[in-house]
């Protein structure tokens, strides 16, 4: 299975720019997607196909990367962005998720 | 407006069969390119994909659980189902269903609120 590695946690101040990384154990081309999950809620799709912004998601969120290295950027970060962010690949079977990066605001 | 909602037994005993239902609206599983997936999440942990079913009744399972999983659908009632046989405490989790759309790459664009399942003797 393709293993996705994410940093466990980040802390930033509102108004700053934050990058959340996801590294795949093998190439996933652009088959990488990002989800936001707030406590007690279901995951929400933010970015699909590595860099495509899902409809209704603020333009503060952006994604980049291909192959094995991917980044989710939030600029500027707002207080409401406190959540856990998961990457997910669908290029290789089976689909797999990263363990998540917990974003906290200072 | 796309919505999905999971339902399940809440609690069951080890070795029993877990039956989950996903009732959805806003799309049809008889439409070309539409699918529903099941994903689970133990409390405080990450997400694990379980199975997908497509409009043409193609089915895909996580190999690590394949022998225990059965996914199915009832197109006329806008429902998808997942059965997991021989459950144990490791199957305790929140179970989500989500819509998937066929494309160059597939992703889960709408999720249900999840249903919590506890396996305990």
């Amino acid at each position: 299975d393709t293993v996705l590695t994410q940093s466990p946690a980040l802390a930033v101040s509102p108004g700053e720019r934050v990058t959340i990384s996801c590294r795949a154990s093998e190439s996933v081309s652009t088959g990488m997607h990002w989800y936001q999950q707030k406590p007690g809620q279901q995951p929400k799709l933010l970015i699909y196909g590595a860099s495509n912004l899902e409809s209704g998601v603020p333009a503060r969120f952006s994604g980049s990367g291909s192959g094995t290295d991917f980044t989710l950027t939030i600029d500027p970060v707002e207080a409401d962005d406190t959540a856990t962010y998961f990457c997910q690949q669908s290029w290789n079977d089976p689909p797999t998720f990263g363990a998540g990066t917990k974003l906290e605001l200072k | 407006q796309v919505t999905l909602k999971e339902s399940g037994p809440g609690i069951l005993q080890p070795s029993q069969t877990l039956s989950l239902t996903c009732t959805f609206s806003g799309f049809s599983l008889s439409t070309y390119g539409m699918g529903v997936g099941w994903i689970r999440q133990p409390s405080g942990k990450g997400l694990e994909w379980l199975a997908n079913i497509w409009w043409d009744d193609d089915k895909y399972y996580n190999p690590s659980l394949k022998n225990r999983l059965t996914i199915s659908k009832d197109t006329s009632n806008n429902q998808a189902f997942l059965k997991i046989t021989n459950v144990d405490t490791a199957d305790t989790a929140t179970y989500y269903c989500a819509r998937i759309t066929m494309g160059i790459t597939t992703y889960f664009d709408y999720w249900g609120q999840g249903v919590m399942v506890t396996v305990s003797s």
Side-chain angles (χ1 to χ4, degrees):
Chain A
D1 296 3
T2 303
V3 176
L4 303 181
T5 301
Q6 298 184 246
S7 300
L10 287 171
V12 297
S13 299
E16 292 185 343
R17 177 177 184 268
V18 65
T19 58
I20 298 171
S21 65
C22 178
R23 174 164 287 178
S25 61
E26 59 186 320
S27 177
V28 300
S29 185
T30 56
M32 183 65 76
H33 324 294
W34 291 93
Y35 303 86
Q36 175 194 64
Q37 187 177 34
K38 297 181 179 180
Q41 296 185 17
Q42 68 270 49
K44 173 188 174 184
L45 177 68
L46 299 175
I47 300 288
Y48 63 93
S51 60
N52 300 287
L53 188 68
E54 172 68 352
S55 176
V57 174
R60 304 183 290 104
F61 293 87
S62 63
S64 64
S66 66
T68 60
D69 290 292
F70 298 85
T71 299
L72 172 70
T73 300
I74 311 172
D75 187 13
V77 170
E78 296 183 357
D80 188 52
D81 298 334
T82 298
T84 299
Y85 294 85
F86 293 94
C87 56
Q88 179 240 327
Q89 69 81 24
S90 59
W91 193 256
N92 303 314
D93 286 328
T96 51
F97 291 85
T101 296
K102 188 172 184 178
L103 180 65
E104 297 181 342
L105 268 66
K106 298 177 185 175
Chain B
Q1 179 188 5
V2 173
T3 64
L4 303 97
K5 186 172 184 179
E6 308 85 350
S7 57
I11 186 165
L12 67 167
Q13 294 184 335
S15 80
Q16 291 186 320
T17 295
L18 170 61
S19 295
L20 299 166
T21 299
C22 175
T23 303
F24 54 86
S25 63
F27 69 100
S28 173
L29 259 182
S30 62
T31 299
Y32 177 89
M34 288 291 120
V36 167
W38 287 93
I39 305 100
R40 70 181 179 181
Q41 184 175 35
S43 181
K45 297 190 178 179
L47 298 158
E48 179 182 32
W49 171 75
L50 299 175
N52 291 344
I53 189 165
W54 292 95
W55 83 101
D56 59 359
D57 212 36
D58 261 355
K59 300 164 187 173
Y60 297 89
Y61 297 102
N62 190 320
S64 68
L65 291 154
K66 182 175 181 178
N67 292 339
R68 300 173 52 213
L69 301 178
T70 303
I71 193 169
S72 60
K73 62 183 173 69
D74 179 349
T75 302
S76 58
N77 287 309
N78 285 341
Q79 291 181 316
F81 310 97
L82 183 71
K83 290 187 187 296
I84 305 178
T85 60
N86 193 27
V87 297
D88 68 10
T89 55
D91 296 309
T92 294
T94 296
Y95 286 76
Y96 297 100
C97 64
R99 190 184 80 163
I100 40 180
T101 306
M102 187 181 72
I104 296 174
T105 182
T106 60
Y107 46 89
F108 304 103
D109 57 357
Y110 291 91
W111 294 62
Q113 63 190 26
V115 61
M116 194 174 301
V117 174
T118 302
V119 179
S120 174
S121 55

